[in-house]
Amino acid sequence: MKIVKTVDEVRVIVKEWKKEGLTVGLVPTMGFLHAGHKSLIDEARKNNDVVIVSIFVNPTQFGPGEDYESYPRDEERDFKLCEEAGVDAVFTPDPEEFYQNHKTYVTIEDLKDNLCGKTRPIHFRGVLTVLTKLFNIFRPTRAYFGRKDAQQFLIVKKAVKDLNFGIEIVPCPIKREDDGLAISSRNVYLSDEERKAAPVLHRALEKGKAAIKKGMKAEDLIKIIEDEINGQSSLGNSSAVIILRNLSVKVVFRL
Ligand code: PAF
């Protein structure tokens, strides 16, 4: 497995792959890899001649006061996971080299303004900018994204279509802990109490989903979800209810 740090080095490798007519699967990540990332790599491995993983904590998608500095990092463990998963190359650029005197950003209308975009106004601009750079550098045949970041997946898919990248964007199922919590690098931030409480989000959404299938109306759906969360006294977190209220409204709109 090659470990590559600069865009110039990558270009040489990609040129060779393209000359040989190989299909390229890209798994973009911010590192601290877990079973969710491994499942993206496995999917990419199945359908492409070569697989590349980018590991880059992308500064442009973090707003002021967010966790850019403290975002969990463990490069050696990440390299080992990639090697064992049969990755051909890992790209880990240096932020200064990657973004030297950068002035150009990619943004999307509408889709960025709700859910995560409401509290993280520059987040999706940073995501689309880094992905545009990675897509231009690697020219992948396919790129793989987890459904955990549902808004990100939809935004990337739309941008790729709008900007004619000609890349297949492949969604992959959410990987969960045994108690239903979606696996995420940021789960390490949870205190013991929060970790115990967190699966309520999944349980509440599952209840909502079952209610939708039975034809329940939007107002009742929100109540079912709120009741599930409020029933868990240790969470006691009204912001979770607000997030789920937003989500359930979206789900109802889409039906
Ligand atoms: O989902 C992530 O880890 C990041 O947003 C991504 C897609 C790697 C872009 O930095």
Side-chain angles (χ1 to χ4, degrees):
M1 182 179 82
K2 292 191 170 72
I3 296 173
V4 188
K5 292 233 170 253
T6 66
V7 174
D8 287 347
E9 285 173 89
V10 172
R11 288 207 191 280
V12 175
I13 295 172
V14 171
K15 210 168 152 192
E16 271 313 300
W17 287 342
K18 294 282 161 181
K19 216 161 62 190
E20 290 173 45
L22 302 178
T23 54
V24 177
L26 171 66
V27 180
T29 82
M30 297 209 300
F32 210 63
L33 304 180
H34 50 64
H37 296 113
K38 167 81 167 50
S39 71
L40 304 185
I41 296 170
D42 290 344
E43 198 52 35
R45 193 61 288 167
K46 271 193 241 158
N47 297 310
N48 300 279
D49 298 318
V50 286
V51 174
I52 182 132
V53 173
S54 61
I55 296 179
F56 182 58
V57 183
N58 171 35
T60 62
Q61 69 188 73
F62 291 78
E66 289 186 8
D67 57 342
Y68 174 65
E69 296 296 340
S70 60
Y71 192 86
R73 292 159 167 91
D74 190 341
E75 214 174 57
E76 286 313 311
R77 196 171 60 102
D78 289 347
F79 291 161
K80 191 163 176 282
L81 186 148
C82 288
E83 177 101 62
E84 285 170 3
V87 168
D88 297 275
V90 172
F91 179 52
T92 56
D94 174 68
E96 274 82 50
E97 204 255 351
F98 194 67
Y99 274 121
Q100 40 187 298
N101 192 27
H102 194 90
K103 303 282 184 210
T104 308
Y105 294 91
V106 181
T107 186
I108 187 167
E109 299 302 316
D110 303 337
L111 290 175
K112 70 174 188 333
D113 297 329
N114 52 29
L115 299 174
C116 285
K118 257 192 181 155
T119 48
R120 307 187 72 192
I122 62 155
H123 176 65
F124 289 114
R125 181 186 80 157
V127 169
L128 285 182
T129 300
V130 75
L131 289 176
T132 299
K133 285 165 76 68
L134 292 172
F135 291 163
N136 282 332
I137 293 165
F138 290 110
R139 309 259 164 199
T141 318
R142 300 180 186 85
Y144 293 78
F145 294 85
R147 283 195 186 274
K148 172 173 70 60
D149 303 304
Q151 188 174 11
Q152 170 171 278
F153 165 68
L154 288 175
I155 284 178
V156 172
K157 203 167 147 64
K158 179 77 175 113
V160 162
K161 181 167 185 287
D162 287 353
L163 298 177
N164 306 100
F165 274 108
I167 297 167
E168 186 186 340
I169 300 301
V170 185
C172 296
I174 298 174
K175 283 278 162 193
R176 296 187 181 279
E177 304 286 0
D178 290 343
D179 60 7
L181 178 66
I183 299 177
S184 162
S185 306
R186 284 189 170 105
N187 287 351
V188 294
Y189 295 156
L190 299 174
S191 66
D192 287 350
E193 199 194 353
E194 286 165 341
R195 173 63 191 83
K196 242 194 288 171
V200 74
L201 297 173
H202 181 233
R203 277 204 309 279
L205 285 172
E206 283 295 317
K207 281 213 163 167
K209 196 163 121 189
I212 291 170
K213 282 194 180 144
K214 285 190 196 146
M216 184 150 288
K217 288 202 297 272
E219 312 85 74
D220 302 330
L221 183 63
I222 288 167
K223 179 152 177 13
I224 284 186
I225 289 173
E226 281 181 354
D227 284 352
E228 181 68 29
I229 292 169
N230 290 332
Q232 175 153 331
S233 54
S234 59
L235 189 68
N237 183 353
S238 60
S239 64
V241 175
I242 293 165
I243 290 165
L244 286 173
R245 184 190 285 274
N246 265 334
L247 275 176
S248 55
V249 169
K250 295 282 160 209
V251 170
V252 172
F253 276 146
R254 292 192 61 188
L255 281 177

